[in-house]
Amino acid sequence: MDHHDGITRIETFGVEQIPDHERHATPFDLFRLIFGGANTFATAVLGSFPILFGLSFQAGVLAIASGVLCGALILAPMGLFGALNGTNNAVSSGAHFGVHGRIVGSFLSLLTAIAFFSLSVWSSGDALVGGAQRLVGLPENALSLGLAYGLFAVLVLTVCLYGFRFMLWVNKIAVVSASLLFLLGIPAFAGSFDAGYAGTLQAGQPGFWAAFVGAALVAMSNPVSFGAFLGDWSRYIPRQTPRLRILLAVIAAQAATLIPFLFGLATASLVATRAPDYIAQNNYVGGLLAIAPTWYFLPVCLLAIIGGLSTGTTALYGTGLDLSSVLPRLLTRVRATLLIGLAAIAFIFVGRFSFNLVQSVSTFAVLIVTCTSPWMVIMILGLVVRRGFYCPDDLQVFTRGEQGGRYWFHHGWNWRGMGAWIPSALLGLAFVNLPGQFVGPLGELAGGIDLSLPLALGSAALLYLLLLLLFPEPAAVYGPTGPRRPRRSRARTSLPGIRAA
């Protein structure tokens, strides 16, 4: 696909390595896609959590800032794999999990996409219908909500089918327009806003730190949720692009999400003061509409439309791409995107109207992030240990239906990566503490503080490095320079041949 082609030409590339002459994206394009995907009502809802947990406005700012910063630092290196290998992060993970073990990344990205696509459609649909009800009297019932959800879902699916360039164009508009609409909230709410809002929990009171850590982890889950997807977009960045520019683009995009985060935090503190019943019901969007001046209803509707499009496309695009790589002989990228999109749309309607799964899916999203974070740590440590050396052609063995190559390891599985990820993910899930939603079997051990992400991250790092030390990898995976230091064990140095399966 030539970069001069129109945005409406359907993208034909799947997960095969993008040729160098087709890579025309820049780190700034990556910034726009990440920020556009998070510059939405869904992120504003996450920003309301410190208030829902009982924190003051000032404690909420600290919790959100610390969560976003930690998450951004963990996320940033995940943007490098696409530029290095010209493919998505799940395929790149084959270097550390084995060419078959990369299905872990595919599975995680599939679950993440469906959860965040559903949440974005639900939150945007609710905001659009609520705003339209206040603006023009549109009745808020199952029919109007269903039409709104259907509109968002079909628009998102259409953008994803056309592919990367159309998605980039949508996000160019979304970044600027959504930011302006959020900033319009300053004159809309400044008159009654109180930065001294005290909340119901102060430092030193029982439960304060549990609420603070919980709010920080909710904020941190937003950047971490992008981990599986960054390669979908950075694979179009030329491989010679300075790595620092890619890292800074990812960190800057997450720093920019403080706009919707702080919008959610500030308006939630107003809802708690002026319409506390909505906070008691965990209904942030309803509370926002209840306290907003009439002239702000139209911006709310526009925010809902723009946000639903940008978040939905960034979630759904990568999953179609990934499914096509798991079943390369059956599905092209377009067919896989269509299949996943239709399944997700069915889930959205059944989950919302038959089972009322909105709360369950938000919990599910946190649990997926708990499993994704140790996978990311293993990828990042692998990148450092290998000093950025990869053989992109050998990563495509599974896609081509072949066997062998540098990353074949033990029948396509690298048990160093898998052996670190499985116990770390299970440990993280055991320590999840989301009161009223999900509490793992060990979730109460820390006095109500949710230790899931720190433990999952830390255990993955320790286990992976220990397994690399005890069971050295074949020297071939380190490239021409070999491992960083001589190894006593007789690690296989010859390169296995590639053969058809």
Side-chain angles (χ1 to χ4, degrees), residues 10-11 13 160-163 317 320-321 324 332-337:
I10 293 177
E11 178 187 11
F13 286 126
C160 291
L161 287 173
Y162 277 108
Y317 169 79
L321 183 68
S324 70
T332 62
R333 184 198 68 81
V334 173
R335 286 178 185 167
T337 302

Side-chain angles (χ1 to χ4, degrees), residues 47-382:
S48 71
F49 271 71
I51 304 300
L52 297 178
F53 289 170
L55 295 177
S56 67
F57 175 77
Q58 293 178 356
V61 171
L62 289 175
I64 287 172
S66 55
V68 169
L69 176 62
C70 290
L73 293 176
I74 295 168
L75 175 69
M78 299 301 292
L80 298 175
F81 293 98
L84 286 169
N85 299 321
T87 188
N88 71 342
N89 280 356
V91 172
S92 291
S93 75
H96 308 293
F97 292 86
V99 290
H100 289 158
R102 50 146 293 211
I103 64 171
V104 168
S106 300
F107 183 64
L108 289 172
S109 67
L110 172 66
L111 295 179
T112 306
I114 290 178
F116 281 87
F117 177 51
S118 303
L119 288 173
S120 74
V121 168
W122 283 332
S123 60
S124 295
D126 290 349
L128 177 62
V129 173
Q133 182 191 34
R134 298 286 297 274
L135 196 62
V136 295
L138 179 76
E140 189 170 350
N141 53 31
L143 176 62
S144 59
L145 286 169
L147 287 172
Y149 298 153
L151 170 71
F152 282 121
V154 171
L155 284 174
V156 166
L157 183 55
T158 302
V159 173
C160 291
L161 287 173
Y162 277 108
F164 178 76
R165 302 213 173 278
F166 199 178
M167 190 171 71
L168 186 58
W169 178 75
V170 167
N171 275 273
K172 282 179 181 177
I173 298 169
V175 164
V176 177
S177 52
S179 299
L180 290 174
L181 291 167
F182 274 124
L183 293 174
L184 265 180
I186 295 174
F189 300 107
S192 51
F193 172 66
D194 177 16
Y197 171 77
T200 56
L201 283 173
Q202 274 72 46
Q205 288 184 323
F208 171 81
W209 285 109
F212 185 90
V213 172
L217 290 177
V218 166
M220 182 176 167
S221 71
N222 199 49
V224 170
S225 70
F226 282 87
F229 300 120
L230 288 197
D232 304 338
W233 317 318
S234 63
R235 67 198 181 116
Y236 279 101
I237 296 175
R239 72 177 75 242
Q240 67 272 18
T241 304
R243 294 179 189 180
L244 182 61
R245 289 184 61 201
I246 298 174
L247 294 172
L248 290 176
V250 178
I251 292 171
Q254 291 304 325
T257 64
L258 290 174
I259 294 173
F261 264 118
L262 294 180
F263 175 89
L265 179 69
T267 50
S269 69
L270 281 172
V271 174
T273 305
R274 295 168 53 190
D277 290 348
Y278 286 99
I279 293 294
Q281 298 164 15
N282 287 344
N283 183 3
Y284 162 73
V285 173
L288 175 70
L289 291 167
I291 65 166
T294 306
W295 66 265
Y296 197 65
F297 295 152
L298 181 60
V300 165
C301 292
L302 292 173
L303 264 174
I305 295 169
I306 295 163
L309 267 177
S310 55
T311 301
T313 51
T314 49
L316 195 60
Y317 169 79
T319 308
L321 183 68
D322 219 49
L323 185 64
S324 70
S325 72
V326 175
L327 302 168
R329 297 179 183 181
L330 293 176
L331 297 171
T332 62
R333 184 198 68 81
V334 173
R335 286 178 185 167
T337 302
L338 189 60
L339 180 67
I340 290 288
L342 293 175
I345 290 169
F347 176 80
I348 284 167
F349 279 91
V350 173
R352 176 65 173 83
F353 295 115
S354 298
F355 297 104
N356 198 18
L357 289 176
V358 179
Q359 186 71 38
S360 304
V361 170
S362 59
T363 307
F364 184 50
V366 174
L367 300 182
I368 296 166
V369 166
T370 305
C371 294
T372 305
S373 55
W375 177 82
M376 291 167 60
V377 165
I378 292 163
M379 289 270 288
I380 293 164
L381 287 175

